[in-house]
Amino acid sequence: MTPEEREHHRKGPVTLRGAQRPDRTTDQRLLEESASGAWVHSDPWRVLRIQSEFVEGFGALSELGPAISIFGSARLGEGHPDYECARRIGAGIAERGYAVITGGGPGIMEAGNRGAQEAGGVSVGLGIELPHEQGLNPYVDLGVDFRYFFARKTMFVKYSSGFVVMPGGFGTFDELFEALCLMQTHKIDMFPVILVGRDYWQGLLDWVSSAVVDRGMISLADLDLVRVVDTAEEALAALGEAIRGDDEGPAAGEHRTSAEDEVVDAS
């Protein structure tokens, strides 16, 4: 095994290999229950580390400009139809003057970054510390590594003008439903959420529109928070319709939460 092939572990900006690789992630250590009172001494320092992640993320992305996030499975490689679709979407987003933000990993994330880079746009990857990870993909031009999922997810919401959600697993579902929850509860302003691949998403939508709506868990109007398309061209057209239209170009500024508006108003 060459030095380049050795398994590595990222902790924010730090890379660890060999015996230096920890057996637990930072999130696991933060959330575990401790039988002793040792957390009294360690958690205040964790707060500072968490604060630093927000500061680093805000600092890296504050001048990014308008951007669209692309989510999807890390398990699909080049040549897969979903990979190629995400690649075309990434290119189309860049050609319309938006940056492309992904989770920075392989699969759909790589495809979105690759499309943006090939089109001459800004390609952003927000990486995360995981027990088994492959680091940022080679098509990321601006990369930020995070220890904590919640800090990373804040960056996706804060700096995105829309989400394009390709087929994916639990991580993709997590990003999708968090965005829908924040919009439904008016914690953030509305922005387009485009689901790509009707054959993949239709079963979920059928369940939501029947069992969930019928039991009053959500209202029928909440289904309007998402739009389903089948092709890259349809996804780009839907984004263009939702964000001022292609002719007017990208909206200026970043996507800001209601809480941030309150801070600005109070000042």
Side-chain angles (χ1 to χ4, degrees):
M1 178 181 293
T2 66
E4 292 77 13
E5 294 173 331
R6 295 174 65 200
E7 288 190 7
H8 63 272
H9 183 96
R10 290 184 182 273
K11 294 180 64 176
V14 179
T15 298
L16 302 171
R17 292 190 173 93
Q20 295 298 314
R21 294 178 71 244
D23 58 357
R24 293 177 299 164
T25 68
T26 307
D27 269 327
Q28 286 174 313
R29 291 192 296 274
L30 171 66
L31 298 174
E32 71 182 357
E33 294 185 10
S34 175
S36 69
W39 64 270
V40 172
H41 307 289
S42 60
D43 276 15
W45 291 105
R46 285 190 179 130
V47 171
L48 295 177
R49 177 178 287 172
I50 291 167
Q51 182 183 42
S52 74
E53 293 217 337
F54 282 102
V55 171
E56 290 170 358
F58 293 159
L61 302 174
S62 61
E63 298 181 359
L64 178 63
I68 302 293
S69 288
I70 299 177
F71 301 98
S73 175
R75 305 184 183 192
L76 304 178
E78 182 178 4
H80 190 282
D82 291 334
Y83 182 104
E84 300 306 327
C85 181
R87 185 175 172 183
R88 293 195 300 273
I89 292 173
I93 290 171
E95 289 166 356
R96 286 160 172 77
Y98 291 82
V100 170
I101 305 176
T102 79
I108 295 298
M109 294 173 282
E110 175 186 291
N113 289 132
R114 182 175 181 178
Q117 188 183 87
E118 290 172 340
V122 180
S123 174
V124 181
L126 305 182
I128 185 68
E129 175 194 357
L130 295 172
H132 304 286
E133 61 176 323
Q134 301 181 35
L136 296 176
N137 69 68
Y139 301 100
V140 170
D141 297 321
L142 171 58
V144 184
D145 283 311
F146 292 88
R147 294 180 175 91
Y148 299 103
F149 264 116
F150 55 83
R152 178 185 185 235
K153 291 198 289 186
T154 298
M155 303 304 155
F156 279 122
V157 173
K158 178 173 173 60
Y159 292 105
S160 295
S161 298
F163 281 6
V164 174
V165 189
M166 301 291 298
F170 287 158
T172 302
F173 302 156
D174 181 41
E175 300 291 355
L176 167 62
F177 281 106
E178 177 160 37
L180 296 180
C181 178
L182 290 172
M183 287 193 289
Q184 183 200 47
T185 56
H186 302 287
K187 296 297 291 183
I188 62 172
D189 299 329
M190 298 295 176
F191 66 87
V193 176
I194 313 298
L195 306 183
V196 183
R198 191 177 302 274
D199 60 339
Y200 185 83
W201 295 109
Q202 194 59 55
L204 172 64
L205 295 175
D206 288 343
W207 172 71
V208 171
S209 62
S210 57
V212 182
V213 172
D214 291 347
R215 297 190 183 196
M217 306 303 179
I218 65 171
S219 68
L220 194 59
D222 289 331
L223 298 177
D224 295 333
L225 294 173
V226 298
R227 180 166 175 180
V228 190
V229 301
D230 280 316
T231 67
E233 293 70 27
E234 290 174 343
L236 293 169
L239 286 171
E241 293 171 9
I243 310 175
R244 296 189 175 183
D246 288 337
D247 293 338
E248 294 185 51
E254 64 197 26
H255 180 73
R256 192 168 64 195
T257 67
S258 299
E260 289 171 311
D261 283 329
E262 292 170 2
V263 171
V264 173
D265 292 342
S267 64

